Amino acid sequence: NRGISIAVDFDSTLCLTDGFPHIVAQNGRCFEILHKWQDAGCKIILYTMRHDDDLDDAVEWCKECGFVFDGINKNQENDERDPECDKLYAVFYIDDKAFGVPLLRDTEGKVRDHVDWDKIDSVFTPLITEINEKIKTEKWLGKDIIFILRKFFGIIVLAIACKLMFG
């Protein structure tokens, strides 16, 4: 499987939380979108600071929600290529703390600001589709990803500029 890897955080990304490590609820359509990306050939990797029992709880909660990751805090291929390598690599990182990731604010203050999965879907899915089509047709070159990522970051910079200019 030559699909791209996508890293996703847990707290305030996949789940709503009112404070670590408490899980309040699923964050919108997150698992629906991640399933769509897996079905398109992407590898979804949980990338979280949680560890030990808190990590086990997060992974089990995701399974109860019907989602199983392709890797936990590292790429599965690392075990086959270099068991000592812990470096995670991904084309996209979705994290509530990452620059440019769209957030929703709970005006009632019951949960922390969290990832807006509807906006993530509208921006990332077309890019993921384009990248995966290039991979499938074996017309995939390193310069292709640079072009696509430039387009993506151009969208993010434009969105930030509009937000700053127009509120």
Side-chain angles (χ1 to χ4, degrees):
N1 184 351
R2 294 180 57 201
I4 63 171
S5 295
I6 300 171
V8 294
D9 181 38
F10 183 74
D11 295 286
S12 296
T13 301
L14 299 178
C15 77
L16 303 179
T17 182
D18 55 5
F20 181 82
H22 187 238
I23 300 168
V24 174
Q26 178 178 318
N27 185 4
R29 299 175 40 232
C30 64
F31 294 121
E32 172 192 336
I33 294 163
L34 293 178
H35 274 295
K36 175 170 53 175
W37 294 347
Q38 270 184 333
D39 292 345
C42 297
K43 297 172 189 168
I44 309 298
I45 301 158
L46 179 63
Y47 190 46
T48 179
M49 291 181 61
R50 285 181 175 243
H51 56 87
D52 300 327
D53 289 343
D54 292 326
L55 177 59
D56 293 341
D57 291 345
V59 172
E60 184 59 32
W61 182 82
C62 291
K63 284 180 184 174
E64 290 170 7
C65 291
F67 193 82
V68 177
F69 294 96
D70 298 298
I72 310 292
N73 284 332
K74 67 178 182 174
N75 302 77
Q76 190 174 10
E77 295 85 14
N78 289 5
D79 293 335
E80 298 162 8
R81 292 184 192 151
D82 184 358
E84 301 298 317
C85 180
D86 288 336
K87 182 176 181 181
L88 173 77
Y89 57 92
V91 174
F92 297 112
Y93 293 80
I94 302 172
D95 187 327
D96 63 300
K97 303 296 186 207
F99 177 78
V101 171
L103 299 178
L104 292 171
R105 178 160 294 189
D106 177 18
T107 57
E108 297 175 14
K110 293 181 180 178
V111 296
R112 293 182 176 176
D113 293 356
H114 49 279
V115 171
D116 182 342
W117 279 95
D118 289 329
K119 286 186 182 172
I120 290 288
D121 188 28
S122 69
V123 172
F124 280 69
T125 298
L127 295 171
I128 289 166
T129 302
E130 186 175 344
I131 291 169
N132 279 336
E133 286 304 313
K134 287 185 181 287
I135 291 171
K136 284 179 192 171
T137 60
E138 298 192 24
K139 294 179 182 173
W140 179 251
L141 301 171
K143 64 182 179 181
D144 291 332
I145 194 165
I146 292 169
F147 172 77
I148 292 167
L149 290 177
R150 281 186 183 151
K151 183 168 40 170
F152 170 72
F153 286 112
I155 292 168
I156 295 298
V157 169
L158 180 61
I160 291 169
C162 288
K163 178 73 173 165
L164 292 173
M165 291 171 46
F166 304 112

